Amino acid sequence: DTGVSQNPRHKITKRGQNVTFRCDPISEHNRLYWYRQTLGQGPEFLTYFQNEAQLEKSRLLSDRFSAERPKGSFSTLEIQRTEQGDSAMYLCASSARPAIPGELFFGEGSRLTVL
Amino acid sequence: GQQLNQSPQSMFIQEGEDVSMNCTSSSIFNTWLWYKQEPGEGPVLLIALYKAGELTSNGRLTAQFGITRKDSFLNISASIPSDVGIYFCAGLGMDSNYQLIWGAGTKLIIKP
């Protein structure tokens, strides 16, 4: 049974460095989502892919953030020139087609700490 | 932007007690969902509601989609230790089929 897999699980970096997270969705899911979650808050939507196409991107997402899903399978989320405010849990989720609206399968997350 | 107000923020209850939490919004949602998150894990879907007035159960959990489409509640009956975690409401609004809006969560702590 392979659920959504994310790595690394934890990343500590210095301010100004670039970081990249990887997400491997459930294999038959064509929809993939990135969310960010800070302590005491619910997840905040970042971006959404259907196959390799990035169909929706949060207006809150700065241009330091970029996500790709080159072959419609795994996805990467890169943060350039990290800032302390980027410290958070980055959650990846996937869903099946036809999707049950709102039914997402989440990975365990990648926790980023920016010093 | 859209926000969901979830209450209470946390609950300390005795094992066996019933639990009730709710979520309200200033705008209409087409879909209400309840997720649970345990430490070190991503959220897991518990119940999804798609129609105003709908009442849906999943074991000891019952959730309702408010008639005004601006609120939802979740009840847990006869709580047990494994119910511990953070419960989130989430909604899908009028302007996106993909972008879930989330509440801040209700942390449930059960005293043995």
Side-chain angles (χ1 to χ4, degrees), chain A residues 14-31:
Chain A
K14 292 183 179 178
R15 189 176 54 186
Q17 298 294 304
N18 298 342
V19 297
T20 299
F21 300 115
R22 176 179 169 126
C23 172
D24 288 89
I26 293 171
S27 58
E28 61 267 27
H29 287 182
N30 70 327
R31 301 179 182 196

Side-chain angles (χ1 to χ4, degrees), chain A residues 35-109:
Chain A
Y35 281 82
R36 174 171 62 193
Q37 185 177 27
T38 54
L39 198 62
Q41 298 297 318
E44 176 188 30
F45 173 81
L46 294 179
T47 191
Y48 158 73
F49 289 85
Q50 186 167 321
N51 299 311
E52 65 276 6
Q54 188 174 20
L55 296 186
E56 198 164 330
K57 192 172 170 181
S58 169
R59 287 167 291 179
L60 303 173
L61 205 59
S62 93
D63 56 9
R64 296 183 298 104
F65 287 70
S66 62
E68 294 183 342
R69 195 181 182 199
K71 296 182 180 178
S73 56
F74 74 91
S75 174
T76 57
L77 176 69
E78 182 183 15
I79 309 173
Q80 296 181 324
R81 305 182 303 282
T82 52
E83 301 173 357
Q84 288 184 324
D86 296 332
S87 295
M89 176 75 84
Y90 289 85
L91 292 165
C92 177
S94 67
S95 66
R97 179 183 180 184
I100 298 175
E103 183 180 29
L104 302 182
F105 295 84
F106 282 89
E108 294 173 321

Side-chain angles (χ1 to χ4, degrees), chain A residues 37 43 56 100-102 104 106-107, chain B residues 35 37 42-43 50 96 98-99 102:
Chain A
Q37 185 177 27
E56 198 164 330
I100 298 175
L104 302 182
F106 282 89
Chain B
Y35 278 82
Q37 187 174 27
Y50 300 113
S96 175
Y98 320 117
Q99 191 173 145
W102 295 72

